Amino acid sequence: MAFFDLFNYWIFIVLMMIGLYTVIVSPNLAKKVIGLSVFQSAIFLFLISLSKVRGGAVPITVPPAELYSNPLPHALVLTAIVVSVSTLAVALAIIINIRQAYGTVEDDEMEKAEGH
Amino acid sequence: MQSHLPALIVIIPLLVALVLPMLGRGHKPWFLATLATWGVFAMTIALELQVSGLARDPSAPQTFLSYPIGNWRIPWGIEFRVDALNIFILLVIAMVSAVVTFYARLSIGSSIPPERIRFFYAAWLLFITGLLGVTMSGDIFNVYVLIEVSALASYTLVAMGRYQSRKALSGSINYLVLGTIGASFFLIGVGYLYSVTGTLNMADLADRLEPLHDNRAVITAFAFLLVGLSVKMALFPLHGWLPDAHGYAPPIVSALLSGVAIKVGAYVMIRLIFSVLGVEFSFVKLPTGPVLWVLASLAILLGSYTAIQQTSLKRLLAYSSVAQIGYIALGFSLANENGLTGSLIHIFNHALMKSGLFLVAGIISYRLGEADLNRLAGLGRKMPFTMAALTAGGLGLIGVPLTSGFISKWYLVTGAIERGLIPLAVVILLGSILALIYVWKVVEIVYFKPVSDLAREVTEAPWSLVLPAWTLIGASLYFGVDASLSSSLAQRAARLLLAQP
């Protein structure tokens, strides 16, 4: 059952590639940013899944248990989510400005507007 | 007594950045930002004296300064660790940002609507905070967060160029998408390293990774970290975002982006390759050297070649930065003392030259609007001081003797020959010839073309713009004649990285 043992890594890879593919292929900036979010979420799932210890309890010392899951990756992902949300906010703000300046949020139409 | 300088250097610009948006219009935000950056510069010099004092003192337990944030015990808490390498980078960041911020008042005042100016300076200080933090942090996840702090601030700063040209917006969003992918790759690498070692402190990582060099997760992590950082430092072929972002941002933003921000990416890469994973792993076990040699050579040749074809001064300078990053990568990929010294000293020298040159480009746009090359015709007679700075900086990019560019190239060529890599030495010299062509193109337009109608009424720029530009260019000339200070600092850092006494 090697496939299911490594299930979390497969999910991570597949989601990451879906995100990256969208970023590369979609000419629409808003969709690019959505792809970026999917890509980053995949990384968060990867980090979270690292913290799971088989048979480990929730990392709270009451009630006492022998084995705990690792709480640190959660803290990391929490920080990374904050970063990701801020990136999303900045990206959307820039896209709104692009829409006002170019009248479109499509990559190819923006290039046409610049006369390339 | 515990010195709090490492924390203060990051916290002061951070807090000032939060205060600035409340200040309203006028020159107050600029004044406070300038005060903060000069304060940081002074504190960095004090810190450098402390660190070099530790290095000289044989009774000191260690040659670096360790600052546990919030007094949490290391390696659990976040550590700021200052040693010979990052104090050198810190000095570059602090010096350039102090001079550039002083310059900002007229340049930004003329290119951004008055009600936006305080927000500009807030983002500006956050950007500098991030750069300083990345350089000092000894915790690899903290490095990721601070990279993103500086990057997010820089996306907004680039987008502020929209009042001149809407292309700044598309440049900014491209930079954001690529920069985020790069930083995310870095985060994946951090995740892999954490999964095998269970630690995030870089010094602790280095110890724990020693027996794990055959581990596939470590090799994967290394690949992700290197690719992620290559985007951040704009190493060929991942430099696609740079020309638009640096070319259309407000001039002072380009000065800091080109002069300092991409160097911080290079610093993190040097730190990872040499301190965290070690020369043995990076260069003996894995073929990092040859890969970087090829990429760096292509960066130098293609970057310089594309620079020749540009018609806008800022884009020309941006492509030249792609080439200069090539020199820096080439230097540290040689993994010997001269190569590494050359790489570090070029970080220093190029920061002075390129920031100075972007400030000159800013002066030109202050007087003439867009700094298109054709508009520069005959300006040599109209703005003699500014154009002399442009020429002197250009000579530095070529690497003419008595400019600081010569010193860095001297070390790089020596390093390449010591490794027996004559083709790389040839690439460095070819790069200088290509630089000669693009610099000559500008000089010819400036001095030998008749004055265009646009420039007929132009006079020399105010001193508050010319002085900072000349400070940086003048410093780069000074360190070309007397390189003892810069080369001794760079050499000390190189020896530390190669673990030589």
Side-chain angles (χ1 to χ4, degrees):
Chain A
M1 297 304 275
F3 178 80
F4 284 105
D5 284 348
L6 301 173
F7 188 65
N8 52 341
Y9 298 105
W10 285 109
I11 294 282
F12 156 57
I13 300 282
V14 169
L15 269 181
M16 182 170 95
M17 286 306 143
I18 291 174
L20 213 49
Y21 181 81
T22 318
V23 174
I24 296 165
V25 170
S26 172
N28 185 315
L29 291 175
K31 288 181 187 167
K32 262 188 208 297
V33 171
I34 293 172
L36 209 57
S37 277
V38 173
F39 171 61
Q40 288 188 308
S41 307
I43 300 169
F44 303 155
L45 287 179
F46 163 64
L47 286 173
I48 286 282
S49 70
L50 284 179
S51 70
K52 176 68 186 161
V53 175
R54 288 248 156 83
V58 181
I60 302 170
T61 44
V62 209
E66 290 292 307
L67 197 62
Y68 294 105
S69 284
N70 186 352
L72 191 108
H74 295 112
L76 300 188
V77 170
L78 212 57
T79 316
I81 287 174
V82 173
V83 171
S84 155
V85 170
S86 324
T87 313
L88 195 62
V90 173
L92 291 175
I94 296 172
I95 290 173
I96 291 172
N97 278 300
I98 286 181
R99 164 86 197 178
Q100 283 164 357
Y102 288 83
T104 174
V105 292
E106 306 277 333
D107 236 355
D108 39 355
E109 285 173 27
M110 279 162 62
E111 260 170 50
K112 244 182 262 161
E114 290 294 351
H116 288 297
Chain B
M1 201 193 82
Q2 173 86 46
S3 157
H4 288 289
L5 283 176
L8 285 175
I9 287 175
V10 177
I11 287 173
I12 288 179
L14 180 68
L15 292 182
V16 175
L18 298 180
V19 172
L20 287 184
M22 301 174 214
L23 283 182
R25 299 181 189 192
H27 293 317
K28 257 186 267 165
W30 166 78
F31 181 73
L32 207 59
T34 308
L35 210 62
T37 46
W38 281 94
V40 166
F41 184 32
M43 285 190 291
T44 316
I45 292 173
L47 191 62
E48 142 55 38
L49 294 177
Q50 282 182 11
V51 172
S52 55
L54 278 177
R56 270 196 303 274
D57 182 7
S59 65
Q62 57 211 17
T63 55
F64 56 84
L65 206 78
S66 170
Y67 185 87
I69 303 279
N71 223 358
W72 290 90
R73 260 173 62 205
I74 296 158
W76 293 279
I78 291 169
E79 178 189 20
F80 273 7
R81 180 182 281 225
V82 187
D83 61 14
L85 172 62
N86 50 13
I87 190 67
F88 182 66
I89 309 289
L90 278 177
L91 280 171
V92 175
I93 302 172
M95 178 171 58
V96 173
S97 59
V99 177
V100 174
T101 313
F102 175 72
Y103 167 100
R105 185 175 62 95
L106 284 177
S107 181
I108 286 305
S110 70
S111 58
I112 286 177
E115 72 275 11
R116 299 275 168 181
I117 286 178
R118 54 202 161 129
F119 298 112
F120 174 87
Y121 285 113
W124 175 253
L125 282 184
L126 284 177
F127 178 38
I128 294 168
T129 308
L131 296 176
L132 292 164
V134 170
T135 313
M136 239 179 319
S137 182
D139 182 284
I140 198 165
F141 185 76
N142 201 228
V143 168
Y144 160 76
V145 174
L146 287 162
I147 284 178
E148 284 294 65
V149 168
S150 68
L152 278 170
S154 68
Y155 307 144
T156 59
L157 290 172
V158 171
M160 297 254 192
R162 74 172 194 269
Y163 303 108
Q164 262 64 52
S165 158
R166 61 180 180 179
K167 283 183 193 160
L169 288 170
S170 56
S172 171
I173 193 83
N174 273 337
Y175 178 26
L176 184 144
V177 170
L178 274 165
T180 306
I181 292 177
S184 301
F185 269 44
F186 186 84
L187 182 61
I188 298 174
V190 172
Y192 275 111
L193 284 186
Y194 181 76
S195 74
V196 285
T197 59
T199 182
L200 292 165
N201 183 293
M202 292 208 269
D204 199 29
L205 264 177
D207 292 341
R208 286 173 193 235
L209 282 172
E210 199 113 34
L212 291 170
H213 280 177
D214 285 318
N215 191 311
R216 241 163 52 202
V218 177
I219 296 170
T220 315
F222 186 63
F224 272 115
L225 291 168
L226 236 52
V227 173
L229 289 170
S230 299
V231 177
K232 284 289 170 196
M233 70 185 267
L235 181 60
F236 184 89
L238 300 170
H239 66 283
W241 57 270
L242 186 143
D244 278 350
H246 293 201
Y248 298 113
I252 71 159
V253 177
S254 312
L256 213 56
L257 278 174
S258 248
V260 178
I262 51 178
K263 274 40 169 297
V264 170
Y267 155 77
V268 180
M269 197 186 263
I270 292 175
R271 177 64 86 196
L272 279 173
I273 289 180
F274 290 93
S275 304
V276 176
L277 289 146
V279 178
E280 177 74 21
F281 174 82
S282 314
F283 291 106
V284 181
K285 193 170 165 355
L286 293 177
T288 316
V291 172
L292 284 177
W293 296 337
V294 173
L295 294 182
S297 305
L298 286 171
I300 295 171
L301 297 177
L302 292 175
S304 307
Y305 178 71
T306 325
I308 296 172
Q309 299 165 324
Q310 297 309 310
T311 53
S312 131
L313 179 61
K314 278 171 72 189
R315 282 178 70 87
L316 183 149
L317 293 175
Y319 274 106
S320 153
S321 286
V322 173
Q324 307 297 326
I325 276 295
Y327 288 115
I328 291 166
L330 188 76
F332 68 74
S333 64
L334 292 170
N336 60 12
E337 192 188 316
N338 277 325
L340 204 51
T341 309
S343 182
L344 292 171
I345 209 168
H346 199 54
I347 289 181
F348 180 86
N349 292 336
H350 179 247
L352 296 176
M353 291 186 282
K354 194 50 73 62
S355 309
L357 284 169
F358 269 114
L359 296 192
V360 170
I363 296 176
I364 297 166
S365 7
Y366 178 73
R367 278 292 190 232
L368 284 168
E370 213 168 321
D372 207 54
L373 281 182
N374 296 328
R375 295 190 174 199
L376 302 186
L379 279 186
R381 272 152 286 170
K382 296 283 182 183
M383 305 166 81
F385 290 111
T386 314
M387 292 305 137
L390 184 66
T391 314
L395 291 177
L397 287 180
I398 303 170
V400 177
L402 293 183
T403 64
S404 55
F406 177 72
I407 309 282
S408 15
K409 282 180 189 164
W410 178 264
Y411 275 107
L412 292 173
V413 171
T414 319
I417 292 173
E418 267 174 22
R419 277 294 298 262
L421 294 162
I422 306 299
L424 291 185
V426 174
V427 165
I428 295 171
L429 297 175
L430 269 178
S432 289
I433 293 172
L434 291 173
L436 177 66
I437 298 174
Y438 65 69
V439 170
W440 175 252
K441 200 176 113 176
V442 178
V443 169
E444 191 189 4
I445 292 173
V446 167
Y447 286 102
F448 299 103
K449 287 256 176 90
V451 182
S452 66
D453 291 338
L454 267 167
R456 198 134 292 160
E457 303 297 313
V458 168
T459 51
E460 187 57 80
W463 68 270
S464 65
L465 293 175
V466 178
L467 183 73
W470 258 112
T471 308
L472 290 172
I473 300 281
S476 88
L477 291 177
Y478 171 78
F479 287 113
V481 179
D482 176 15
S484 53
L485 177 68
S486 55
S487 62
S488 71
L489 288 174
Q491 203 156 31
R492 195 180 69 182
R495 289 193 178 140
L496 171 92
L497 288 175
L498 296 166
Q500 286 165 354

